[in-house]
Amino acid sequence: MSGYWDPSIERMPFDELRSLQEDRLKSIVRYVYDHSNFYRQRFKEAGVGPDDIKQMDDLTKLPFTRKVDLRNTYPTGMFSLPVSRVVRYHVSSGTTGKPTVVGYTKDDIETWSESLARALTSIGLGRSDVIQVSYGYGLFTGGLGLHYGAEKIGATVLPTGVGNTERQIELMQDLGTTAIACTPSYFMHMVEVAEKMGVRIRNDTKLKAGIFGAEPWSLETRKRIEDATGINAYDIYGTSEISGPLFTECPQKNGIHIWADMFLTEVIDPKTGEQVGDGETGELVFTTLNKFALPLIRYRIGDLSVLDSEPCECGRTHPRIMRILGRTDDMLIIRGINVFPSQVESVLMKIPEVGDHYQIVVGREGPLDVMTVRVEVTEKGFSDKIGDLMSLKKKVAKELKSVLNISAGVELVEPGTIPRSMGKAQRVIDNRKV
Ligand SMILES: [Zn+2]
């Protein structure tokens, strides 16, 4: 079992942790009321003030906030401090509308790094590791976020960013990278490129861990990555609005620990806004407890997950969220049925003849939605006879139907046909929106 970065917090008894949360909740509500015109106005509209928040249960008296609030107050209208106190901006490009801008004080950056220091330590990384950060650097939070966290634990950072894949693999070998952080789809691309260079990750590199996120990925993909390369693949979570990448799975690989001294987590029914119990799927809502440039109160992330507050076998008392099913924004509605790209992925990755890359193409035939899943066949699968390809196509269609409850077309393509991505993979092409 790996060590702890800060055992006094990570193993803090549940009651103490809860009372710490309660204290911090009261302070942050008072703080935003005093410092942010946006929150003061929003609380007044909801008929609630700092004095109404006396205990944890009072949380539900507070109104939700959403991404649209950040857009409507673009660029810095939700900030609680003047820009002179802000030491960094990150900006996430919106596919629709204005981007969202997040500001950080020096202490906010410190808290963010502390969160990742705990996470990276929990998966066994430390001073003797070389961590290759292959997330984008810049306005996106992935690169700099991991960078600061990795430096904090004293690891050696190799800040490759995205792209130039062959060079990344050479450096991985020459400088002895032991852990890599990037999107899972980019890592799968890297493995492909490495093989073409005659480099086998398992035998020819020191890589032992991958920290993969920024796009939803399935347990089946984890199994593929681990079987192919011999590394341990961990899920990482966070979104730009609440800081960036913040939390990872612990070695139990049974949920992502959310540091409760920093964040208060709720899971709600997205339709009614009511909290749902542990074990029930709903939308994640976070309240930042010690972030000061842009604190967020009951912020609806849009990601669907399940909360588990039971103690974890790793000894940490902080609650876990289960693997993200997807964003409510990513959910496709096909002929009235909800489909998450991650469901399609989990079906495909169970079929050995199917390659690692796929796309979902949605369109219309007359009034009807049609969905086609375009998948690469593995080199091995492709050399087979036409008859075998036909039966593979039928097999994929049948498995998809049994999980999704709708029929999808299946298009098998040669290995290497689907465009590879360096960052977030474009899995869905929805032609209905055009
Ligand atoms: Zn754990």
Side-chain angles (χ1 to χ4, degrees):
M1 181 72 45
S2 307
Y4 302 92
W5 175 254
D6 184 351
S8 66
I9 287 280
E10 291 172 59
R11 301 175 61 112
M12 184 178 264
F14 187 78
D15 290 347
E16 271 178 56
L17 198 51
R18 197 178 157 88
S19 90
L20 177 65
Q21 280 192 307
E22 211 168 62
D23 289 345
R24 290 193 171 170
L25 173 68
K26 285 185 268 186
S27 320
I28 201 75
V29 168
R30 167 83 54 197
Y31 174 83
V32 296
Y33 188 85
D34 290 344
H35 288 78
S36 158
N37 291 332
F38 169 86
Y39 279 111
R40 198 160 42 249
Q41 172 90 17
R42 187 55 72 86
F43 287 1
K44 277 181 180 158
E45 282 163 14
V48 63
D51 293 334
D52 298 310
I53 309 304
K54 295 188 181 70
Q55 53 193 11
M56 195 67 91
D57 292 343
D58 295 326
L59 176 68
T60 54
K61 292 176 182 167
L62 295 165
F64 291 116
T65 50
R66 291 177 172 81
K67 188 172 250 177
V68 67
D69 295 315
L70 285 164
R71 293 214 173 104
N72 289 343
T73 58
Y74 177 86
T76 59
M78 268 174 83
F79 282 28
S80 288
L81 286 175
V83 172
S84 58
R85 295 284 309 277
V86 169
V87 298
R88 195 196 297 169
Y89 285 132
H90 280 286
V91 181
S92 85
S93 53
T95 38
T96 52
K98 293 268 190 207
T100 51
V101 177
V102 178
Y104 305 77
T105 64
K106 218 168 179 4
D107 288 342
D108 292 342
I109 299 276
E110 178 54 31
T111 304
W112 183 8
S113 308
E114 177 73 18
S115 172
L116 277 170
R118 291 180 199 169
L120 297 175
T121 305
S122 84
I123 60 171
L125 301 178
R127 300 184 73 84
S128 55
D129 284 288
V130 177
I131 304 181
Q132 187 165 340
V133 179
S134 306
Y135 277 118
Y137 277 75
L139 293 175
F140 174 59
T141 51
L144 284 169
L146 260 303
H147 188 112
Y148 275 59
E151 279 190 351
K152 193 166 176 76
I153 62 166
T156 309
V157 183
L158 178 57
T160 46
V162 290
N164 213 340
T165 309
E166 293 192 359
R167 184 147 185 263
Q168 296 229 15
I169 292 157
E170 280 168 20
L171 291 172
M172 180 185 285
Q173 286 191 290
D174 296 345
L175 297 173
T177 298
T178 56
I180 188 163
C182 59
T183 59
S185 56
Y186 185 50
F187 184 69
M188 290 198 282
H189 174 55
M190 224 179 238
V191 173
E192 242 174 15
V193 173
E195 271 163 17
K196 282 190 188 132
M197 294 163 67
V199 176
R200 289 153 306 165
I201 299 289
R202 185 191 294 272
N203 302 315
D204 304 330
T205 74
K206 290 187 180 156
L207 200 66
K208 62 178 184 185
I211 303 147
F212 301 126
E215 64 189 17
W217 58 301
S218 60
L219 287 172
E220 289 72 18
T221 297
R222 166 167 25 221
K223 189 168 182 322
R224 273 197 174 207
I225 289 175
E226 294 186 337
D227 290 350
T229 62
I231 69 166
N232 265 306
Y234 297 99
D235 202 3
I236 184 165
Y237 185 71
T239 76
S240 60
E241 305 97 294
I242 58 166
S243 265
L246 284 155
F247 321 107
T248 67
E249 291 172 305
C250 67
Q252 301 298 322
K253 291 185 184 165
N254 185 24
I256 292 173
H257 284 284
I258 307 292
W259 308 123
D261 55 317
M262 301 177 180
F263 297 89
L264 192 55
T265 314
E266 299 171 80
V267 178
I268 60 161
D269 178 331
K271 289 204 182 79
T272 63
E274 298 283 322
Q275 288 179 351
V276 302
D278 262 31
E280 285 179 60
T281 302
E283 182 179 348
L284 286 170
V285 177
F286 288 109
T287 296
T288 61
L289 295 175
N290 57 350
K291 196 166 169 282
F292 298 99
L294 178 61
L296 292 172
I297 305 292
R298 300 196 86 200
Y299 184 77
R300 292 178 65 157
I301 290 281
D303 284 337
L304 297 179
S305 183
V306 172
L307 192 65
D308 187 342
S309 308
E310 289 298 306
C312 181
E313 280 176 46
C314 72
R316 290 176 181 81
T317 44
H318 299 242
R320 284 161 294 152
I321 54 167
M322 297 301 128
R323 191 160 276 264
I324 302 293
L325 188 59
R327 290 223 136 181
T328 46
D329 302 356
D330 293 338
M331 190 178 74
L332 293 162
I333 302 176
I334 313 282
R335 276 169 263 150
I337 292 176
N338 300 344
V339 175
F340 281 98
S342 57
Q343 291 176 294
V344 173
E345 180 181 304
S346 63
V347 170
L348 298 178
M349 295 302 131
K350 272 187 204 150
I351 304 172
E353 299 92 333
V354 166
D356 296 336
H357 299 269
Y358 66 94
Q359 267 182 335
I360 301 164
V361 185
V362 188
R364 270 210 182 93
E365 263 171 28
L368 272 188
D369 298 326
V370 283
M371 178 169 97
T372 304
V373 178
R374 187 182 285 160
V375 288
E376 285 184 7
V377 181
T378 56
E379 295 280 355
K380 235 174 158 182
F382 212 79
S383 60
D384 287 335
K385 298 180 295 266
I386 296 290
D388 293 345
L389 287 178
M390 287 306 289
S391 70
L392 173 58
K393 199 167 159 171
K394 273 189 197 151
K395 183 179 172 184
V396 175
K398 193 176 157 220
E399 297 287 318
L400 283 171
K401 178 149 191 185
S402 80
V403 170
L404 307 177
N405 291 319
I406 54 160
S407 301
V410 175
E411 189 189 328
L412 302 179
V413 297
E414 278 184 61
T417 312
I418 292 169
R420 304 297 192 253
S421 106
M422 307 290 165
K424 297 184 195 193
Q426 199 198 356
R427 303 290 199 201
V428 178
I429 300 170
D430 194 340
N431 295 317
R432 294 175 302 181
K433 287 171 186 163
V434 181

